[in-house]
PDB file of all heavy atoms in Angstrom:
ATOM      1  N   GLY D 392       7.234   4.356 -27.973  1.00 90.00           N
ATOM      2  CA  GLY D 392       6.704   5.161 -26.773  1.00 90.00           C
ATOM      3  C   GLY D 392       6.790   4.294 -25.615  1.00 90.00           C
ATOM      4  O   GLY D 392       6.158   3.212 -25.708  1.00 90.00           O
ATOM      5  N   TYR D 393       7.334   4.775 -24.579  1.00 91.00           N
ATOM      6  CA  TYR D 393       7.593   4.004 -23.452  1.00 91.00           C
ATOM      7  C   TYR D 393       6.973   4.534 -22.255  1.00 91.00           C
ATOM      8  O   TYR D 393       7.262   5.766 -21.837  1.00 91.00           O
ATOM      9  CB  TYR D 393       9.185   3.807 -23.155  1.00 91.00           C
ATOM     10  CG  TYR D 393       9.525   3.211 -21.846  1.00 91.00           C
ATOM     11  CD1 TYR D 393       8.881   2.062 -21.449  1.00 91.00           C
ATOM     12  CD2 TYR D 393      10.563   3.717 -21.132  1.00 91.00           C
ATOM     13  CE1 TYR D 393       9.222   1.413 -20.269  1.00 91.00           C
ATOM     14  CE2 TYR D 393      10.839   3.059 -19.827  1.00 91.00           C
ATOM     15  CZ  TYR D 393      10.358   1.930 -19.444  1.00 91.00           C
ATOM     16  OH  TYR D 393      10.705   1.322 -18.299  1.00 91.00           O
ATOM     17  N   PHE D 394       6.038   3.805 -21.560  1.00 89.00           N
ATOM     18  CA  PHE D 394       5.444   4.197 -20.293  1.00 89.00           C
ATOM     19  C   PHE D 394       5.948   3.232 -19.222  1.00 89.00           C
ATOM     20  O   PHE D 394       5.520   2.069 -19.095  1.00 89.00           O
ATOM     21  CB  PHE D 394       3.956   4.104 -20.508  1.00 89.00           C
ATOM     22  CG  PHE D 394       3.183   4.628 -19.205  1.00 89.00           C
ATOM     23  CD1 PHE D 394       2.766   6.015 -19.261  1.00 89.00           C
ATOM     24  CD2 PHE D 394       2.972   3.943 -18.085  1.00 89.00           C
ATOM     25  CE1 PHE D 394       2.182   6.517 -18.196  1.00 89.00           C
ATOM     26  CE2 PHE D 394       2.264   4.469 -17.024  1.00 89.00           C
ATOM     27  CZ  PHE D 394       1.926   5.856 -17.063  1.00 89.00           C
ATOM     28  N   ALA D 395       6.861   3.852 -18.358  1.00 86.00           N
ATOM     29  CA  ALA D 395       7.523   3.025 -17.283  1.00 86.00           C
ATOM     30  C   ALA D 395       6.485   2.816 -16.115  1.00 86.00           C
ATOM     31  O   ALA D 395       5.576   3.627 -15.975  1.00 86.00           O
ATOM     32  CB  ALA D 395       8.678   3.798 -16.723  1.00 86.00           C
ATOM     33  N   GLN D 396       6.844   1.815 -15.354  1.00 79.00           N
ATOM     34  CA  GLN D 396       5.872   1.459 -14.143  1.00 79.00           C
ATOM     35  C   GLN D 396       5.921   2.623 -13.225  1.00 79.00           C
ATOM     36  O   GLN D 396       4.880   2.853 -12.591  1.00 79.00           O
ATOM     37  CB  GLN D 396       6.372   0.274 -13.579  1.00 79.00           C
ATOM     38  CG  GLN D 396       5.462  -0.238 -12.421  1.00 79.00           C
ATOM     39  CD  GLN D 396       6.056  -1.632 -11.812  1.00 79.00           C
ATOM     40  OE1 GLN D 396       5.912  -1.868 -10.721  1.00 79.00           O
ATOM     41  NE2 GLN D 396       6.683  -2.434 -12.666  1.00 79.00           N
ATOM     42  N   ASN D 397       7.016   3.395 -13.139  1.00 75.00           N
ATOM     43  CA  ASN D 397       6.975   4.556 -12.109  1.00 75.00           C
ATOM     44  C   ASN D 397       7.133   5.785 -12.910  1.00 75.00           C
ATOM     45  O   ASN D 397       7.726   6.835 -12.612  1.00 75.00           O
ATOM     46  CB  ASN D 397       8.194   4.399 -11.237  1.00 75.00           C
ATOM     47  CG  ASN D 397       9.616   4.297 -12.079  1.00 75.00           C
ATOM     48  OD1 ASN D 397       9.602   3.996 -13.182  1.00 75.00           O
ATOM     49  ND2 ASN D 397      10.630   4.566 -11.437  1.00 75.00           N
ATOM     50  N   GLN D 398       6.411   5.821 -14.082  1.00 72.00           N
ATOM     51  CA  GLN D 398       6.379   6.974 -14.970  1.00 72.00           C
ATOM     52  C   GLN D 398       6.125   8.362 -14.329  1.00 72.00           C
ATOM     53  O   GLN D 398       6.761   9.393 -14.620  1.00 72.00           O
ATOM     54  CB  GLN D 398       5.536   6.787 -16.107  1.00 72.00           C
ATOM     55  CG  GLN D 398       5.512   7.813 -17.329  1.00 72.00           C
ATOM     56  CD  GLN D 398       6.840   7.715 -18.091  1.00 72.00           C
ATOM     57  OE1 GLN D 398       7.203   6.638 -18.446  1.00 72.00           O
ATOM     58  NE2 GLN D 398       7.475   8.854 -18.352  1.00 72.00           N
ATOM     59  N   ALA D 399       5.201   8.283 -13.473  1.00 69.00           N
ATOM     60  CA  ALA D 399       4.822   9.561 -12.835  1.00 69.00           C
ATOM     61  C   ALA D 399       5.922  10.173 -11.881  1.00 69.00           C
ATOM     62  O   ALA D 399       5.883  11.462 -11.670  1.00 69.00           O
ATOM     63  CB  ALA D 399       3.481   9.256 -11.853  1.00 69.00           C
ATOM     64  N   GLU D 400       6.967   9.322 -11.544  1.00 71.00           N
ATOM     65  CA  GLU D 400       8.056   9.776 -10.698  1.00 71.00           C
ATOM     66  C   GLU D 400       8.933  10.742 -11.375  1.00 71.00           C
ATOM     67  O   GLU D 400       9.808  11.444 -10.895  1.00 71.00           O
ATOM     68  CB  GLU D 400       8.636   8.638 -10.074  1.00 71.00           C
ATOM     69  CG  GLU D 400       8.045   7.808  -9.080  1.00 71.00           C
ATOM     70  CD  GLU D 400       8.753   6.605  -8.455  1.00 71.00           C
ATOM     71  OE1 GLU D 400      10.020   6.670  -8.715  1.00 71.00           O
ATOM     72  OE2 GLU D 400       8.184   5.771  -7.874  1.00 71.00           O
ATOM     73  N   TYR D 401       8.798  10.589 -12.764  1.00 78.00           N
ATOM     74  CA  TYR D 401       9.761  11.355 -13.698  1.00 78.00           C
ATOM     75  C   TYR D 401       9.255  12.807 -13.865  1.00 78.00           C
ATOM     76  O   TYR D 401       9.921  13.581 -14.502  1.00 78.00           O
ATOM     77  CB  TYR D 401       9.975  10.649 -14.968  1.00 78.00           C
ATOM     78  CG  TYR D 401      10.793   9.388 -14.947  1.00 78.00           C
ATOM     79  CD1 TYR D 401      10.128   8.152 -15.094  1.00 78.00           C
ATOM     80  CD2 TYR D 401      12.125   9.300 -14.650  1.00 78.00           C
ATOM     81  CE1 TYR D 401      10.741   7.004 -15.007  1.00 78.00           C
ATOM     82  CE2 TYR D 401      12.799   8.051 -14.605  1.00 78.00           C
ATOM     83  CZ  TYR D 401      12.108   6.942 -14.796  1.00 78.00           C
ATOM     84  OH  TYR D 401      12.870   5.758 -14.604  1.00 78.00           O
ATOM     85  N   LEU D 402       7.967  13.077 -13.464  1.00 84.00           N
ATOM     86  CA  LEU D 402       7.593  14.462 -13.554  1.00 84.00           C
ATOM     87  C   LEU D 402       8.159  15.362 -12.514  1.00 84.00           C
ATOM     88  O   LEU D 402       8.220  15.006 -11.397  1.00 84.00           O
ATOM     89  CB  LEU D 402       6.061  14.372 -13.563  1.00 84.00           C
ATOM     90  CG  LEU D 402       5.119  13.463 -14.469  1.00 84.00           C
ATOM     91  CD1 LEU D 402       3.775  13.374 -14.023  1.00 84.00           C
ATOM     92  CD2 LEU D 402       5.324  14.042 -15.845  1.00 84.00           C
ATOM     93  N   ASP D 403       8.341  16.668 -12.948  1.00 86.00           N
ATOM     94  CA  ASP D 403       8.837  17.649 -11.970  1.00 86.00           C
ATOM     95  C   ASP D 403       7.717  18.142 -11.238  1.00 86.00           C
ATOM     96  O   ASP D 403       6.811  18.821 -11.798  1.00 86.00           O
ATOM     97  CB  ASP D 403       9.460  18.818 -12.953  1.00 86.00           C
ATOM     98  CG  ASP D 403      10.114  19.749 -12.015  1.00 86.00           C
ATOM     99  OD1 ASP D 403       9.840  19.828 -10.730  1.00 86.00           O
ATOM    100  OD2 ASP D 403      10.976  20.525 -12.466  1.00 86.00           O
ATOM    101  N   GLY D 404       7.683  17.969  -9.826  1.00 83.00           N
ATOM    102  CA  GLY D 404       6.505  18.306  -9.024  1.00 83.00           C
ATOM    103  C   GLY D 404       6.390  19.848  -8.850  1.00 83.00           C
ATOM    104  O   GLY D 404       5.426  20.416  -8.527  1.00 83.00           O
ATOM    105  N   GLU D 405       7.445  20.676  -9.201  1.00 88.00           N
ATOM    106  CA  GLU D 405       7.501  22.126  -8.962  1.00 88.00           C
ATOM    107  C   GLU D 405       6.951  22.979 -10.031  1.00 88.00           C
ATOM    108  O   GLU D 405       6.892  24.177  -9.944  1.00 88.00           O
ATOM    109  CB  GLU D 405       8.987  22.574  -8.553  1.00 88.00           C
ATOM    110  CG  GLU D 405       9.394  22.003  -7.228  1.00 88.00           C
ATOM    111  CD  GLU D 405       8.535  22.336  -6.075  1.00 88.00           C
ATOM    112  OE1 GLU D 405       8.048  23.475  -5.955  1.00 88.00           O
ATOM    113  OE2 GLU D 405       8.464  21.431  -5.206  1.00 88.00           O
ATOM    114  N   ILE D 406       6.692  22.221 -11.198  1.00 90.00           N
ATOM    115  CA  ILE D 406       6.230  23.105 -12.330  1.00 90.00           C
ATOM    116  C   ILE D 406       4.677  22.716 -12.525  1.00 90.00           C
ATOM    117  O   ILE D 406       4.234  21.694 -12.078  1.00 90.00           O
ATOM    118  CB  ILE D 406       6.970  22.890 -13.621  1.00 90.00           C
ATOM    119  CG1 ILE D 406       6.972  21.476 -14.107  1.00 90.00           C
ATOM    120  CG2 ILE D 406       8.470  23.198 -13.355  1.00 90.00           C
ATOM    121  CD1 ILE D 406       7.583  21.125 -15.335  1.00 90.00           C
ATOM    122  N   THR D 407       3.878  23.646 -13.289  1.00 90.00           N
ATOM    123  CA  THR D 407       2.569  23.403 -13.605  1.00 90.00           C
ATOM    124  C   THR D 407       2.322  22.294 -14.604  1.00 90.00           C
ATOM    125  O   THR D 407       3.361  21.898 -15.396  1.00 90.00           O
ATOM    126  CB  THR D 407       1.956  24.652 -14.006  1.00 90.00           C
ATOM    127  OG1 THR D 407       2.375  24.984 -15.353  1.00 90.00           O
ATOM    128  CG2 THR D 407       2.118  25.718 -13.077  1.00 90.00           C
TER     129      THR D 407
END
Side-chain angles (χ1 to χ4, degrees):
Y393 173 44
F394 188 90
Q396 188 173 147
N397 59 339
Q398 187 70 44
E400 292 178 17
Y401 294 108
L402 299 172
D403 185 347
E405 294 302 323
I406 63 175
T407 65

